[in-house]
Amino acid sequence: MSLIQRIDALLPQTQCGKCGHAGCQPYAQGLAAGEAINKCPPGGSETIAALAALLQVPVIALDTDRGSAPAQVAFIREAECIGCTKCIQACPVDAIVGAAKLMHTVISAECTGCDLCVAPCPVDCIDLLPLPADSPIVPIVGGLAHTRPQQLARAARRSHARHRFEQRAQRLQREEARKQAERIARSQRPAPNAAAAVPADDPIKAAIARVQAQKAAAADAALKKAKIAAAMSRAQLTKARTAFGDSPSPAQQAQLAELQQAQQQAQAHLESLLAVSDAARA
C-alpha cells in the first residue's frame, strides 16, 4: 500500500469531517503531506499513537476544540419524520433508507455515528444514542478495542465502512453522469411541435411562451415549498403535543395554540395552491 493508504487504514472511517477535511482519505493525504496527527476525535489518542508510530513523529494530545465522537448510533423518531430525504443525502455510508414523503429509518449496523445526518433534518427528529456496551454492533471509534479479536473486528468494521463510502461515491458519480447526459440530450432535442406552437418568425408568441414557462416553474416551486412547510408544521405540532403530555401548562397551551394556528395556515395555503394547480391542469 502507498503511504496514504496505510494512513487511511488507521483512521476510523466515520467520514465525519471533524478533522477539517471532507473525509478520512483527504485527511490521510494531508497527514502524508505533514499535517498534524491530532485532528481526529473519533480516533482519539489511540489513532494518534498509531499515526505517530507510522509517520515517526512525536505523540501529541488530541485537539479537543474539534469536539468529541463517542460510540453512538443515529436513531430517527419515525412518527416525526416528514420524508424529506435530507438525512439520506447526508449519510456518507448509505446507512439510512427511505424515500421522498415516506418514513426514513437507520440501519444501525451500518451507522458510524458521524452525526452528519442531524444538522440537515428540518424537523429535528434524529437522535444520537450511545452504543450500549452489550450491543452486537462493533464500535468504530478508537479506545474501545482492547483485545486482539476486538481490534480485528473493529478493523473489519472500518474496512466495511470505507467500502460502503466508496460505493456511495461511485453511485453518485454514475447518477450525476446520467443526469448530465439527460440534460445534454434534452437541450439538443427540439420540443414536440415547437415549430407549430411557436413560429420562429413570431417573437410575440415566443415571448408569451417563455413567460408562461417561467410562471409554471415558479408555481411548481411555490407548491413544493408549501408542501414542505405544511409537513414541517404538522411535525412541530406533533412533537410539541408529545413533549407537553396530557396536562400542558398554560404557557404550553398557548404555544400549542400558536403551533396549531400555524399548521392550519400552512395547510390552507397548500390547499389553495393545489386548487390553482388543479385548475391550471384542467
Side-chain angles (χ1 to χ4, degrees), residues 18 68-74 111-115 128-131 141:
K18 289 183 172 66
S68 61
Q72 57 190 6
V73 63
C111 176
T112 64
C114 66
D115 78 21
L128 285 171
L129 306 179
L131 194 64
V141 298

Side-chain angles (χ1 to χ4, degrees), residues 192-262:
N193 302 321
V198 183
D201 58 350
D202 193 334
I204 295 178
K205 288 186 177 180
I208 292 173
R210 284 195 298 271
V211 170
Q212 290 175 338
Q214 292 170 355
K215 287 183 178 180
D220 288 343
L223 182 59
K224 181 178 180 181
K225 184 177 180 181
K227 287 180 179 178
I228 293 174
M232 288 179 63
S233 65
R234 285 196 303 271
Q236 289 169 352
L237 179 59
T238 301
K239 183 178 179 181
R241 284 172 173 167
T242 303
F244 296 159
D246 297 331
S247 303
S249 66
Q252 291 172 338
Q253 289 177 354
Q255 186 176 350
L256 285 172
E258 292 179 1
L259 289 173
Q260 186 167 4
Q261 183 179 7

Side-chain angles (χ1 to χ4, degrees), residues 6-147:
R6 287 155 61 196
I7 294 172
D8 188 43
L10 299 177
L11 299 178
Q13 303 306 313
T14 57
Q15 317 299 337
C16 64
K18 289 183 172 66
C19 61
H21 293 274
C24 294
Q25 189 177 62
Y27 183 37
Q29 294 170 346
L31 288 167
E35 197 166 331
I37 64 174
N38 66 339
K39 297 182 178 182
C40 179
S45 58
E46 179 183 319
T47 294
I48 291 174
L51 290 172
L54 174 64
L55 300 173
Q56 298 183 353
V57 297
V59 172
I60 55 178
L62 177 67
D63 182 0
T64 55
D65 290 339
R66 298 181 180 276
S68 61
Q72 57 190 6
V73 63
F75 174 78
I76 296 176
R77 299 192 299 277
E78 296 170 352
E80 301 171 29
C81 175
I82 62 173
C84 69
T85 75
K86 292 185 182 297
C87 60
I88 293 177
Q89 297 170 41
C91 180
V93 292
D94 282 340
I96 303 177
V97 294
K101 302 179 184 178
L102 297 175
M103 177 191 71
H104 304 341
T105 191
V106 177
I107 307 173
S108 299
E110 303 294 353
C111 176
T112 64
C114 66
D115 78 21
L116 293 176
C117 59
V118 175
C121 178
V123 293
D124 191 24
C125 70
I126 302 179
D127 298 319
L128 285 171
L129 306 179
L131 194 64
D134 58 350
S135 172
I137 301 173
V138 178
I140 204 167
V141 298
L144 297 176
H146 306 295
T147 66

